[in-house]
Amino acid sequence: MRQGLCILIGVFSVDTADKTIRLTTAQAIIRYLAAQYIDIDGEKTRVCGGGFGIFGHGNVPCLGEALYDHRDVLPLYRGQNEQGMGFAAAAYAKYHLRQKFMFCTASAGPGTANLLTAAALCHANRLPMLMLCGDTFLTRLPDPVLQQLEHFGNPALGLNDSFQAVGRYWDRITHPAQVIQTLPAALATLLDPADCGPAFLALPQDVQGWTYDYPVSFFEPKVHRIRQQMPDARELEDAIAALKAAKRPAIIAGGGVQYAKAVEELTQFASSCGIPVIETIAGRANLLADHPLNIGPVGVTGSDSGNWLAERADVILSVGSRLQDFTTGSWTAFAKDAQFISLNTARHDAGKHRALPLVGDAKLGLQALTEQMGSYRAPAAWLAEAQGERRKWDDYVAQNVKPGNRPNSYAQAIGAVNALCDPRDRVVAAAGGLPAEVTANWRTLDIGTVDVEFGFSCMGYEIAGGWGARIAQSELEPAQDTIVFTGDGSYMLMNSDIYSSVLTGKKLIVLVLDNGGFAVINKLQNNTGNESFNNLIADCPTIDAPFAVDFTAHAAAMGAHAERVANPAELAEAFVRAKAADKTYVIVMDVDAYEGWTTEGHSWWEVGTPQVSAHASVREAHEEWESGRKTQRRGV
């Protein structure tokens, strides 16, 4: 006669006879996450590195209880702002090349709403983040509840439904058993190279605490692997035929090269065929700055050398890029008759602008191309000319970052840090003028060390993302530093994770470069014929007595070391002190809002300008801007 053994563990009931365990919905979610592992280069580690959380009534009683019992295996970092939590999760996943992720948990209502921007950033950048967010009660018995949005004609519609527009996976848990299907589906999305992006689970407050007898097998440890898909043989044939016919081939190296761990394969293919390489913003740090095939960044925030190559290439192999407008110069950076070949895991990206699609893993695709290209070599004169253009660009950058060549500038600060940092230090920047300045002026010292968030170009990512990057970096490279470049505008938008970094012992080096407002948009405003208005603090008509923020005092109040420097030479000295410091170090320097910009390396960018205006300068700027459209590819 078979006998069942019932073991009581707190509020859990385990019956080994039918192998079920009674858990709340929240407990089941967290227990499942704790049991998921990933194989990374032969080593097994938890695929979820933990989470970021701010508790409220919508998540603390049930989800908070479950997280407490797993606090040793799924560390929960207390955020200061939900948006910042999401940015930190994005940077964490980017550091780990999308092979690990963090979750974010927020309360129902405004706490969850604050995650919308971060979800959009992850969606645009194809980054995994799991959101576990409170929702209104499924029974509706207490309706309307605190912070509930009431749609009179659709009571099922709520705030959390808005995440369907910015997520790759979305579900509302309406019964405890549902997570048996939902959690594996969400995890599959988070780890899928083609569909990677944020996953959102709406958790009604009552359902979080409801129980179900879950199969014990659901919580058995599982090891995941990132899928590597071989390109279709016929697509490969088409790509090889086009490349072999090329007289002036070029390679665009995007962020997907790093996510596929295909840097070595990219280098081998380019070297064996003698094809010059240009990098996207997300693809910065695919090749070292001094690699002979690295011709420079391409596009609106590119280099003269990279754009020279793009304009003349007849066949372009794009690897792991979604070909955003800053890469393509709004599709003016390339010849109209140039043939694109797009190697990408995502079918949506592989077929853009009538590219020959090569849908598959970048590592496997590049290996196959290398094997089948035979003895093909690009014309030596083509490569030599491209390398000559790169040398000219290097000479320009050397002068551009040189202290004393003009008033304090972003480029000078970048050059000072670049000269003193460790090759494995990680650089983080986003939004405003710094992405262009870092992309143009930073000389890559080691592979995969640059994080310029420009997929969503999101102000506020810098410090919060730096915190998340440092959490990830401390897992694998604790001796290195995470270096954040931010302007005063982004600092004012979101800075509280300076406090988070000090609290958690995750040291950052933060460079605050103060140009007195939103200076890069003021630059665009002036370039389109408009007068300076409401961007620089000094140009706001509603401000009677402009004054600057004391960023050093502010950062010090959050527990960081902080100092203000007068020039790039002092910044370099302060950076040495920051490297030696035991906690977050903030260095502030004023930069010029008008004279400090990198003036070379830009392709055309489509911006809406007024077709009619009472201002002659605006009309003239419109005509000049539109004149750049003549080279624009129209979707082909």
Side-chain angles (χ1 to χ4, degrees), residues 179-222:
V179 302
I180 297 174
Q181 305 296 329
T182 294
L183 289 174
L187 198 65
T189 301
L190 293 169
L191 297 179
D192 192 312
D195 291 335
C196 185
F200 182 91
L201 300 186
L203 304 175
Q205 295 167 64
D206 45 3
V207 178
Q208 287 183 46
W210 292 355
T211 59
Y212 184 73
D213 293 328
Y214 291 95
V216 170
S217 59
F218 183 62
F219 305 105
E220 292 176 354
K222 180 176 180 179

Side-chain angles (χ1 to χ4, degrees), residues 67-197:
L67 286 167
Y68 177 82
D69 288 336
H70 288 82
R71 61 193 182 279
D72 293 333
V73 295
L74 293 176
L76 185 67
Y77 291 89
R78 180 192 179 280
Q80 316 306 321
N81 177 294
E82 291 86 358
Q83 181 172 314
M85 291 178 355
F87 291 162
Y92 179 93
K94 189 180 288 189
Y95 178 92
H96 282 298
L97 302 176
R98 307 194 305 190
Q99 294 182 303
K100 295 183 68 174
F101 67 87
M102 298 283 268
F103 66 82
C104 292
T105 179
S107 186
T112 290
N114 285 342
L115 277 168
L116 267 168
T117 302
L121 179 143
C122 287
H123 190 283
N125 287 283
R126 321 289 171 85
L127 293 171
M129 171 178 65
L130 177 62
M131 288 166 282
L132 305 173
C133 296
D135 204 346
T136 54
F137 291 85
L138 189 68
T139 64
R140 300 184 189 165
L141 292 175
D143 286 8
V145 298
L146 179 68
Q147 299 172 334
Q148 180 176 347
L149 303 180
E150 292 185 90
H151 290 270
F152 308 140
N154 186 355
L157 183 65
L159 164 72
N160 288 353
D161 294 273
S162 61
F163 283 84
Q164 295 186 51
V166 293
R168 295 284 186 182
Y169 185 89
W170 187 96
D171 201 0
R172 176 174 279 117
I173 306 302
T174 58
H175 189 279
Q178 188 178 333
V179 302
I180 297 174
Q181 305 296 329
T182 294
L183 289 174
L187 198 65
T189 301
L190 293 169
L191 297 179
D192 192 312
D195 291 335
C196 185

Side-chain angles (χ1 to χ4, degrees), residues 247-501:
K247 304 299 183 185
R248 299 177 304 280
I251 298 171
I252 297 175
V257 173
Q258 292 180 40
Y259 293 141
K261 296 187 174 181
V263 169
E264 183 178 339
E265 288 72 18
L266 170 75
T267 306
Q268 183 178 355
F269 172 72
S271 299
S272 66
C273 296
I275 301 177
V277 178
I278 47 183
E279 294 181 322
T280 70
I281 298 174
R284 290 293 270 115
N286 277 321
L287 295 177
L288 300 186
D290 58 1
H291 193 284
L293 293 175
N294 185 353
I295 308 304
V298 63
V300 180
T301 57
S303 59
D304 287 345
S305 53
N307 289 330
W308 179 94
L309 191 79
E311 183 181 340
R312 290 162 178 78
D314 61 350
V315 177
I316 300 121
L317 173 63
S318 171
V319 185
S321 173
R322 63 193 183 100
L323 298 176
Q324 179 215 36
D325 66 338
F326 263 67
T327 296
T328 67
S330 300
W331 289 103
T332 64
F334 304 94
K336 289 185 178 180
D337 60 352
Q339 175 63 62
F340 276 81
I341 304 164
S342 192
L343 172 56
N344 205 295
T345 56
R347 174 191 56 79
H348 174 78
D349 294 317
K352 289 174 179 173
H353 275 244
R354 295 185 66 231
L356 294 175
L358 197 54
V359 180
D361 176 71
K363 179 187 283 284
L364 297 181
L366 287 165
Q367 287 174 347
L369 286 171
T370 303
E371 291 169 3
Q372 298 186 39
M373 283 296 286
S375 60
Y376 171 86
R377 292 281 299 180
W382 164 244
L383 176 58
E385 196 172 0
Q387 290 171 332
E389 294 298 321
R390 176 60 197 248
R391 286 192 291 272
K392 293 178 188 177
W393 179 252
D394 286 342
D395 291 342
Y396 170 78
V397 170
Q399 282 298 119
N400 200 39
V401 302
K402 188 176 180 180
N405 60 0
R406 60 189 188 279
N408 288 354
S409 69
Y410 283 163
Q412 293 167 352
I414 290 165
V417 172
N418 209 169
L420 293 168
C421 72
D422 186 275
R424 287 303 307 167
D425 286 345
R426 189 167 185 82
V427 177
V428 179
L434 276 164
E437 298 294 322
V438 170
T439 301
N441 295 291
W442 185 265
R443 295 185 57 78
T444 301
L445 303 176
D446 209 341
I447 301 301
T449 53
V450 179
D451 175 5
V452 177
E453 194 292 296
F454 218 52
F456 203 54
S457 182
C458 204
M459 292 177 66
Y461 174 86
E462 298 90 340
I463 295 171
W467 181 43
R470 179 57 192 154
I471 291 171
Q473 185 187 47
S474 64
E475 295 173 0
L476 298 179
E477 301 174 286
Q480 308 312 136
D481 282 305
T482 295
I483 302 164
V484 174
F485 287 102
T486 184
D488 53 302
S490 282
Y491 182 102
M492 291 298 292
L493 187 81
M494 189 170 293
N495 54 61
S496 58
D497 286 316
I498 289 175
Y499 180 56
S500 301
S501 72

